[in-house]
Amino acid sequence: MLNFRRSGTFSKDFRKWIDDYALRKRQEELLRGREPRRSHPSVRNYVSALDLILDYEYDISRRLSIRDINDDFLANLIAYATELRVSTTEHKYLTKGGMSNGTVNKRIDALFFFMESTYPGKLLVQRPKHLETLKHRVIRLDIGELRELESLEIDNPVYDRTRDYFLFLCYTGLRYSDFVKLDSSYYETDTGDLVLNTNKTSKSCRIHLNPKALAIARKYDFRFRPGCNQDLNRYIKLLLKEYHLFETEETVEYMKRTRQTRVAMKRELISCHTGRRTYISILAENGMSAYEIMSATGHTQVQTVMRYIDLFGPGRREKFAALDRLFTE
């Protein structure tokens, strides 16, 4: 482990701590016999928290020290995180602001993990209670919408590749970080399964490739190169907009200090992760148990999967349909 030395400037200390933390994560993965990733998912959360601090320092025109980190600072930082920021030619912000309560909670948790390990006994502030959050609606594609996307005639090679990548995510439920590391070594020809340890949870999962998923995998030789997550999300939205798909309006509730709603076309709410939600919901619709789903998705919390079974499981729908018949007789 590196010897961490404080510089006296809060953001510089945070940056050095992140470098040390990233090195430790790489060393842990080497000890587990895994190939280290360029950026571990947990490190990115700390980088985002630091970006928020740097934007805040820019707007108050001074560097913070540990003595500045008190209750007033924390209240101001939370309010700052929820405010929108617009970059100019003179200055480009690292964060856009407008954060939901769930995102703010993640940033504050990352900030306190850093502070409690770096300044033991010197903090002038206590970790606040989490801001109230809402469970988001499950935005997914049903079988009919999948078929519509599958049958679309596309003459643009970029959009065709984007469609293939997104459909593969819908057929497999892979997280983006697992999707981009694939190659043919993860595929078992005798079972027709992908077998891998997930990056996020290190949990082993086994995903059966249906014929359409297998055809896409073979088309790209099991190597997908979508650029970064944000690039693929952007191209998915551009594809859906270009071909006028999924334009029904959806009302979404979220917490940004207080409960708010917004109305958007469904296509605007679709991203790489929609593929995972689509896959899990289709498994639930077809009677898969929570543990059968978890063996394919790498989830570690059964409560997460039970939400999909409650929403989409056939047993629940059939019981309510029976009740509907009872009350209409």
Side-chain angles (χ1 to χ4, degrees):
M1 183 184 297
L2 292 178
N3 291 321
F4 178 77
R5 295 170 183 258
R6 293 193 291 271
S7 70
T9 302
F10 188 77
S11 55
K12 287 184 179 179
D13 285 351
F14 201 177
R15 189 180 298 281
K16 290 178 181 178
W17 182 90
I18 290 171
D19 291 341
D20 177 52
Y21 182 82
L23 177 60
R24 284 185 281 126
K25 283 296 180 183
R26 287 193 290 272
Q27 291 171 338
E28 287 172 9
E29 293 193 333
L30 284 171
L31 289 173
R32 292 175 184 170
R34 298 170 61 185
E35 183 179 347
R37 286 163 282 178
R38 287 182 298 175
S39 178
H40 193 277
S42 61
V43 175
R44 289 196 291 270
N45 200 32
Y46 296 111
V47 171
S48 296
L50 174 58
D51 287 344
L52 178 63
I53 293 293
L54 292 172
D55 283 343
Y56 183 78
E57 287 183 332
Y58 174 81
D59 279 336
I60 64 173
S61 302
R62 66 183 180 87
R63 294 292 185 187
L64 297 168
S65 73
I66 185 58
R67 293 186 297 276
D68 296 309
I69 311 303
N70 53 32
D71 290 327
D72 287 341
F73 157 79
L74 199 60
N76 291 335
L77 184 69
I78 290 171
Y80 182 77
T82 62
E83 297 167 358
L84 286 171
R85 285 177 284 287
V86 179
S87 296
T88 65
T89 54
E90 289 77 24
H91 178 74
K92 183 177 181 180
Y93 284 104
L94 300 170
T95 63
K96 295 180 180 179
M99 297 179 189
S100 67
N101 286 7
T103 304
V104 174
N105 289 337
K106 290 179 183 178
R107 301 296 178 264
I108 297 302
D109 283 347
L111 187 63
F112 268 84
F113 189 84
F114 152 67
M115 292 192 300
E116 287 166 355
S117 62
T118 306
Y119 309 107
K122 295 186 177 181
L123 292 182
L124 303 176
V125 62
Q126 291 185 338
R127 187 188 296 251
K129 292 182 179 179
H130 274 177
L131 299 174
E132 183 184 354
T133 58
L134 291 170
K135 281 189 175 180
H136 293 297
R137 288 185 58 195
V138 176
I139 302 296
R140 59 95 184 220
L141 303 188
D142 59 29
I143 288 294
E145 290 170 323
L146 274 179
R147 297 289 179 266
E148 186 178 3
L149 187 57
E150 289 167 356
S151 62
L152 194 65
E153 293 188 9
I154 300 176
D155 56 8
N156 181 317
V158 174
Y159 286 156
D160 186 54
R161 184 171 63 251
T162 299
R163 189 252 307 268
D164 286 344
Y165 285 8
F166 181 56
L167 284 175
F168 189 82
L169 293 172
C170 292
Y171 297 148
T172 61
L174 286 168
R175 295 184 180 93
Y176 178 85
S177 58
D178 296 318
F179 171 63
V180 295
K181 76 178 184 183
L182 286 184
D183 59 44
S184 58
S185 68
Y186 292 96
Y187 179 61
E188 289 185 349
T189 54
D190 54 337
T191 63
D193 293 347
L194 285 177
V195 182
L196 66 153
N197 289 330
T198 63
N199 276 348
K200 183 174 182 179
T201 63
S202 297
K203 184 176 174 61
S204 176
C205 64
R206 178 177 288 273
I207 304 164
H208 184 71
L209 293 188
N210 66 48
K212 292 179 178 177
L214 183 56
I216 292 173
R218 285 176 170 162
K219 179 178 178 178
Y220 297 96
D221 194 27
F222 285 88
R223 291 180 180 274
F224 302 97
R225 298 293 179 263
C228 66
N229 190 0
Q230 292 81 2
D231 285 343
L232 184 53
N233 284 337
R234 180 165 59 88
Y235 277 109
I236 289 170
K237 288 178 171 58
L238 288 172
L239 163 69
L240 301 180
K241 182 179 181 180
E242 177 70 20
Y243 291 92
H244 307 287
L245 292 178
F246 315 141
E247 294 186 330
T248 56
E249 288 190 341
E250 301 278 347
T251 300
V252 181
E253 283 192 314
Y254 59 98
M255 296 293 297
K256 193 179 291 184
R257 305 298 292 278
T258 59
R259 188 183 299 258
Q260 300 183 36
T261 61
R262 77 181 180 102
V263 177
M265 288 185 184
K266 182 173 181 175
R267 62 173 168 78
E268 296 171 4
L269 305 173
I270 289 175
S271 67
C272 297
H273 207 68
T274 306
R276 186 167 174 82
R277 298 187 186 105
T278 296
Y279 178 73
I280 298 169
S281 65
I282 289 174
L283 294 184
E285 281 179 330
N286 286 275
M288 289 279 193
S289 71
Y291 291 102
E292 287 172 324
I293 294 173
M294 291 170 72
S295 71
T297 61
H299 278 103
T300 57
Q301 299 294 324
V302 69
Q303 301 95 317
T304 305
V305 176
M306 282 304 302
R307 184 181 177 211
Y308 286 85
I309 292 176
D310 289 342
L311 286 171
F312 302 107
R316 183 178 187 274
R317 292 201 310 274
E318 289 166 2
K319 289 172 184 176
F320 276 101
L323 283 173
D324 287 344
R325 290 193 296 273
L326 175 66
F327 285 106
T328 55
E329 290 176 352

